[in-house]
mmCIF file of all heavy atoms in Angstrom:
data_model
loop_
_atom_site.group_PDB
_atom_site.id
_atom_site.type_symbol
_atom_site.label_atom_id
_atom_site.label_comp_id
_atom_site.label_asym_id
_atom_site.label_seq_id
_atom_site.Cartn_x
_atom_site.Cartn_y
_atom_site.Cartn_z
ATOM 1 N N PHE A 282 -1.904 3.515 -0.648
ATOM 2 C CA PHE A 282 -1.432 3.015 -1.940
ATOM 3 C C PHE A 282 -0.178 2.167 -1.751
ATOM 4 O O PHE A 282 0.004 1.149 -2.414
ATOM 5 C CB PHE A 282 -1.106 4.176 -2.893
ATOM 6 C CG PHE A 282 -2.314 4.987 -3.317
ATOM 7 C CD1 PHE A 282 -2.143 6.227 -3.928
ATOM 8 C CD2 PHE A 282 -3.610 4.522 -3.120
ATOM 9 C CE1 PHE A 282 -3.238 6.978 -4.338
ATOM 10 C CE2 PHE A 282 -4.708 5.277 -3.523
ATOM 11 C CZ PHE A 282 -4.520 6.514 -4.131
ATOM 12 N N GLY A 283 0.699 2.625 -0.854
ATOM 13 C CA GLY A 283 1.926 1.868 -0.596
ATOM 14 C C GLY A 283 1.636 0.507 0.014
ATOM 15 O O GLY A 283 2.284 -0.493 -0.330
ATOM 16 N N ILE A 284 0.650 0.458 0.911
ATOM 17 C CA ILE A 284 0.309 -0.807 1.579
ATOM 18 C C ILE A 284 -0.233 -1.825 0.575
ATOM 19 O O ILE A 284 0.231 -2.968 0.514
ATOM 20 C CB ILE A 284 -0.724 -0.551 2.703
ATOM 21 C CG1 ILE A 284 -0.063 0.201 3.866
ATOM 22 C CG2 ILE A 284 -1.323 -1.870 3.200
ATOM 23 C CD1 ILE A 284 -1.052 0.816 4.833
ATOM 24 N N VAL A 285 -1.221 -1.404 -0.252
ATOM 25 C CA VAL A 285 -1.782 -2.393 -1.177
ATOM 26 C C VAL A 285 -0.767 -2.784 -2.242
ATOM 27 O O VAL A 285 -0.813 -3.893 -2.770
ATOM 28 C CB VAL A 285 -3.119 -1.937 -1.810
ATOM 29 C CG1 VAL A 285 -4.216 -1.840 -0.774
ATOM 30 C CG2 VAL A 285 -2.954 -0.643 -2.556
ATOM 31 N N SER A 286 0.188 -1.898 -2.518
ATOM 32 C CA SER A 286 1.246 -2.248 -3.476
ATOM 33 C C SER A 286 2.226 -3.263 -2.896
ATOM 34 O O SER A 286 2.995 -3.868 -3.629
ATOM 35 C CB SER A 286 2.006 -0.995 -3.910
ATOM 36 O OG SER A 286 1.127 -0.051 -4.474
ATOM 37 N N ALA A 287 2.216 -3.439 -1.578
ATOM 38 C CA ALA A 287 3.029 -4.495 -0.953
ATOM 39 C C ALA A 287 2.231 -5.796 -0.873
ATOM 40 O O ALA A 287 2.780 -6.887 -1.036
ATOM 41 C CB ALA A 287 3.469 -4.062 0.449
ATOM 42 N N ILE A 288 0.928 -5.698 -0.615
ATOM 43 C CA ILE A 288 0.118 -6.882 -0.335
ATOM 44 C C ILE A 288 -0.292 -7.617 -1.613
ATOM 45 O O ILE A 288 -0.193 -8.847 -1.695
ATOM 46 C CB ILE A 288 -1.122 -6.481 0.496
ATOM 47 C CG1 ILE A 288 -0.671 -6.045 1.896
ATOM 48 C CG2 ILE A 288 -2.118 -7.638 0.585
ATOM 49 C CD1 ILE A 288 -1.758 -5.459 2.757
ATOM 50 N N ILE A 289 -0.740 -6.868 -2.627
ATOM 51 C CA ILE A 289 -1.236 -7.527 -3.841
ATOM 52 C C ILE A 289 -0.154 -8.388 -4.505
ATOM 53 O O ILE A 289 -0.426 -9.535 -4.858
ATOM 54 C CB ILE A 289 -1.880 -6.500 -4.799
ATOM 55 C CG1 ILE A 289 -3.213 -6.031 -4.203
ATOM 56 C CG2 ILE A 289 -2.104 -7.108 -6.191
ATOM 57 C CD1 ILE A 289 -3.912 -4.919 -4.974
ATOM 58 N N PRO A 290 1.103 -7.905 -4.671
ATOM 59 C CA PRO A 290 2.127 -8.782 -5.264
ATOM 60 C C PRO A 290 2.358 -10.064 -4.464
ATOM 61 O O PRO A 290 2.587 -11.128 -5.044
ATOM 62 C CB PRO A 290 3.387 -7.914 -5.266
ATOM 63 C CG PRO A 290 2.886 -6.520 -5.265
ATOM 64 C CD PRO A 290 1.627 -6.546 -4.449
ATOM 65 N N THR A 291 2.289 -9.982 -3.141
ATOM 66 C CA THR A 291 2.522 -11.175 -2.324
ATOM 67 C C THR A 291 1.498 -12.256 -2.615
ATOM 68 O O THR A 291 1.842 -13.414 -2.820
ATOM 69 C CB THR A 291 2.481 -10.818 -0.823
ATOM 70 O OG1 THR A 291 3.504 -9.847 -0.544
ATOM 71 C CG2 THR A 291 2.729 -12.050 0.040
ATOM 72 N N PHE A 292 0.219 -11.882 -2.656
ATOM 73 C CA PHE A 292 -0.829 -12.900 -2.796
ATOM 74 C C PHE A 292 -1.176 -13.192 -4.254
ATOM 75 O O PHE A 292 -1.899 -14.131 -4.540
ATOM 76 C CB PHE A 292 -2.072 -12.482 -2.013
ATOM 77 C CG PHE A 292 -1.810 -12.433 -0.533
ATOM 78 C CD1 PHE A 292 -1.592 -11.227 0.112
ATOM 79 C CD2 PHE A 292 -1.724 -13.603 0.208
ATOM 80 C CE1 PHE A 292 -1.320 -11.176 1.472
ATOM 81 C CE2 PHE A 292 -1.448 -13.561 1.569
ATOM 82 C CZ PHE A 292 -1.236 -12.349 2.199
ATOM 83 N N ALA A 293 -0.633 -12.369 -5.177
ATOM 84 C CA ALA A 293 -0.744 -12.714 -6.596
ATOM 85 C C ALA A 293 0.497 -13.508 -7.005
ATOM 86 O O ALA A 293 0.544 -14.077 -8.083
ATOM 87 C CB ALA A 293 -0.878 -11.457 -7.444
ATOM 88 N N ARG A 294 1.509 -13.525 -6.105
ATOM 89 C CA ARG A 294 2.784 -14.211 -6.370
ATOM 90 C C ARG A 294 3.413 -13.729 -7.667
ATOM 91 O O ARG A 294 3.850 -14.498 -8.504
ATOM 92 C CB ARG A 294 2.579 -15.729 -6.353
ATOM 93 C CG ARG A 294 2.310 -16.187 -4.930
ATOM 94 C CD ARG A 294 1.633 -17.516 -4.795
ATOM 95 N NE ARG A 294 1.415 -17.780 -3.354
ATOM 96 C CZ ARG A 294 0.376 -17.309 -2.675
ATOM 97 N NH1 ARG A 294 -0.525 -16.555 -3.256
ATOM 98 N NH2 ARG A 294 0.252 -17.578 -1.392
ATOM 99 N N LYS A 295 3.440 -12.428 -7.820
ATOM 100 C CA LYS A 295 4.055 -11.793 -8.979
ATOM 101 C C LYS A 295 4.652 -10.476 -8.538
ATOM 102 O O LYS A 295 4.210 -9.895 -7.547
ATOM 103 C CB LYS A 295 2.976 -11.465 -10.032
ATOM 104 C CG LYS A 295 2.616 -12.596 -10.956
ATOM 105 C CD LYS A 295 1.429 -12.182 -11.804
ATOM 106 C CE LYS A 295 1.746 -10.900 -12.557
ATOM 107 N NZ LYS A 295 0.543 -10.311 -13.151
ATOM 108 N N ARG A 296 5.619 -9.978 -9.293
ATOM 109 C CA ARG A 296 6.137 -8.649 -8.976
ATOM 110 C C ARG A 296 5.069 -7.608 -9.281
ATOM 111 O O ARG A 296 4.206 -7.815 -10.129
ATOM 112 C CB ARG A 296 7.374 -8.369 -9.810
ATOM 113 C CG ARG A 296 8.496 -9.324 -9.490
ATOM 114 C CD ARG A 296 9.637 -9.113 -10.434
ATOM 115 N NE ARG A 296 10.365 -7.894 -10.059
ATOM 116 C CZ ARG A 296 11.670 -7.743 -10.295
ATOM 117 N NH1 ARG A 296 12.344 -8.706 -10.896
ATOM 118 N NH2 ARG A 296 12.283 -6.636 -9.957
ATOM 119 N N LEU A 297 5.182 -6.482 -8.597
ATOM 120 C CA LEU A 297 4.252 -5.390 -8.861
ATOM 121 C C LEU A 297 4.424 -4.925 -10.303
ATOM 122 O O LEU A 297 5.539 -4.669 -10.762
ATOM 123 C CB LEU A 297 4.531 -4.231 -7.899
ATOM 124 C CG LEU A 297 3.606 -3.028 -8.061
ATOM 125 C CD1 LEU A 297 2.224 -3.368 -7.512
ATOM 126 C CD2 LEU A 297 4.163 -1.815 -7.344
ATOM 127 N N PHE A 298 3.319 -4.802 -11.004
ATOM 128 C CA PHE A 298 3.366 -4.332 -12.386
ATOM 129 C C PHE A 298 3.641 -2.829 -12.402
ATOM 130 O O PHE A 298 2.941 -2.065 -11.739
ATOM 131 C CB PHE A 298 2.036 -4.641 -13.084
ATOM 132 C CG PHE A 298 1.994 -4.263 -14.535
ATOM 133 C CD1 PHE A 298 2.388 -5.171 -15.508
ATOM 134 C CD2 PHE A 298 1.574 -3.001 -14.932
ATOM 135 C CE1 PHE A 298 2.355 -4.834 -16.846
ATOM 136 C CE2 PHE A 298 1.540 -2.645 -16.272
ATOM 137 C CZ PHE A 298 1.937 -3.570 -17.232
ATOM 138 N N GLY A 299 4.658 -2.391 -13.138
ATOM 139 C CA GLY A 299 4.877 -0.959 -13.361
ATOM 140 C C GLY A 299 5.358 -0.185 -12.154
ATOM 141 O O GLY A 299 4.808 0.856 -11.824
ATOM 142 N N TYR A 300 6.420 -0.701 -11.499
ATOM 143 C CA TYR A 300 6.944 -0.028 -10.302
ATOM 144 C C TYR A 300 7.243 1.448 -10.561
ATOM 145 O O TYR A 300 6.795 2.322 -9.831
ATOM 146 C CB TYR A 300 8.204 -0.750 -9.818
ATOM 147 C CG TYR A 300 8.937 -0.061 -8.689
ATOM 148 C CD1 TYR A 300 8.675 -0.390 -7.359
ATOM 149 C CD2 TYR A 300 9.880 0.936 -8.937
ATOM 150 C CE1 TYR A 300 9.337 0.248 -6.309
ATOM 151 C CE2 TYR A 300 10.551 1.580 -7.910
ATOM 152 C CZ TYR A 300 10.275 1.235 -6.596
ATOM 153 O OH TYR A 300 10.923 1.866 -5.575
ATOM 154 N N ASP A 301 8.011 1.735 -11.624
ATOM 155 C CA ASP A 301 8.406 3.122 -11.882
ATOM 156 C C ASP A 301 7.195 4.034 -12.063
ATOM 157 O O ASP A 301 7.140 5.137 -11.503
ATOM 158 C CB ASP A 301 9.293 3.217 -13.139
ATOM 159 C CG ASP A 301 10.664 2.601 -12.894
ATOM 160 O OD1 ASP A 301 10.740 1.667 -12.074
ATOM 161 O OD2 ASP A 301 11.640 3.052 -13.520
ATOM 162 N N SER A 302 6.219 3.542 -12.831
ATOM 163 C CA SER A 302 5.031 4.369 -13.074
ATOM 164 C C SER A 302 4.270 4.622 -11.772
ATOM 165 O O SER A 302 3.628 5.664 -11.623
ATOM 166 C CB SER A 302 4.121 3.728 -14.120
ATOM 167 O OG SER A 302 3.569 2.524 -13.619
ATOM 168 N N MET A 303 4.342 3.680 -10.832
ATOM 169 C CA MET A 303 3.688 3.882 -9.537
ATOM 170 C C MET A 303 4.350 5.030 -8.778
ATOM 171 O O MET A 303 3.679 5.871 -8.162
ATOM 172 C CB MET A 303 3.746 2.609 -8.684
ATOM 173 C CG MET A 303 2.858 1.487 -9.189
ATOM 174 S SD MET A 303 1.117 1.901 -9.135
ATOM 175 C CE MET A 303 0.510 0.722 -7.958
ATOM 176 N N VAL A 304 5.685 5.068 -8.813
ATOM 177 C CA VAL A 304 6.402 6.154 -8.128
ATOM 178 C C VAL A 304 6.038 7.497 -8.759
ATOM 179 O O VAL A 304 5.711 8.469 -8.060
ATOM 180 C CB VAL A 304 7.928 5.926 -8.191
ATOM 181 C CG1 VAL A 304 8.673 7.131 -7.611
ATOM 182 C CG2 VAL A 304 8.304 4.654 -7.442
ATOM 183 N N TYR A 305 6.072 7.561 -10.105
ATOM 184 C CA TYR A 305 5.772 8.823 -10.779
ATOM 185 C C TYR A 305 4.313 9.224 -10.564
ATOM 186 O O TYR A 305 4.008 10.416 -10.402
ATOM 187 C CB TYR A 305 6.085 8.726 -12.279
ATOM 188 C CG TYR A 305 7.552 8.434 -12.552
ATOM 189 C CD1 TYR A 305 7.932 7.486 -13.499
ATOM 190 C CD2 TYR A 305 8.555 9.092 -11.841
ATOM 191 C CE1 TYR A 305 9.271 7.198 -13.744
ATOM 192 C CE2 TYR A 305 9.900 8.820 -12.067
ATOM 193 C CZ TYR A 305 10.263 7.866 -13.021
ATOM 194 O OH TYR A 305 11.579 7.591 -13.235
ATOM 195 N N ALA A 306 3.414 8.238 -10.558
ATOM 196 C CA ALA A 306 1.998 8.553 -10.338
ATOM 197 C C ALA A 306 1.800 9.141 -8.944
ATOM 198 O O ALA A 306 1.050 10.110 -8.764
ATOM 199 C CB ALA A 306 1.134 7.309 -10.525
ATOM 200 N N THR A 307 2.490 8.563 -7.944
ATOM 201 C CA THR A 307 2.372 9.075 -6.573
ATOM 202 C C THR A 307 2.843 10.524 -6.504
ATOM 203 O O THR A 307 2.188 11.390 -5.909
ATOM 204 C CB THR A 307 3.192 8.208 -5.603
ATOM 205 O OG1 THR A 307 2.841 6.838 -5.784
ATOM 206 C CG2 THR A 307 2.910 8.589 -4.155
ATOM 207 N N ALA A 308 3.977 10.791 -7.150
ATOM 208 C CA ALA A 308 4.510 12.158 -7.142
ATOM 209 C C ALA A 308 3.567 13.118 -7.870
ATOM 210 O O ALA A 308 3.355 14.254 -7.423
ATOM 211 C CB ALA A 308 5.892 12.180 -7.781
ATOM 212 N N SER A 309 2.966 12.652 -8.979
ATOM 213 C CA SER A 309 2.035 13.519 -9.727
ATOM 214 C C SER A 309 0.812 13.856 -8.884
ATOM 215 O O SER A 309 0.357 15.005 -8.863
ATOM 216 C CB SER A 309 1.538 12.830 -11.008
ATOM 217 O OG SER A 309 2.592 12.187 -11.657
ATOM 218 N N ILE A 310 0.273 12.830 -8.203
ATOM 219 C CA ILE A 310 -0.896 13.055 -7.344
ATOM 220 C C ILE A 310 -0.548 14.087 -6.277
ATOM 221 O O ILE A 310 -1.320 15.015 -5.998
ATOM 222 C CB ILE A 310 -1.362 11.733 -6.701
ATOM 223 C CG1 ILE A 310 -1.969 10.815 -7.769
ATOM 224 C CG2 ILE A 310 -2.380 11.993 -5.591
ATOM 225 C CD1 ILE A 310 -2.225 9.400 -7.281
#
Side-chain angles (χ1 to χ4, degrees):
F282 293 166
I284 290 165
V285 293
S286 302
I288 292 173
I289 288 175
T291 300
F292 295 101
R294 290 160 182 84
K295 276 173 56 193
R296 297 174 76 151
L297 181 73
F298 183 90
Y300 173 93
D301 290 30
S302 67
M303 289 296 244
V304 174
Y305 299 136
T307 308
S309 317
I310 290 170

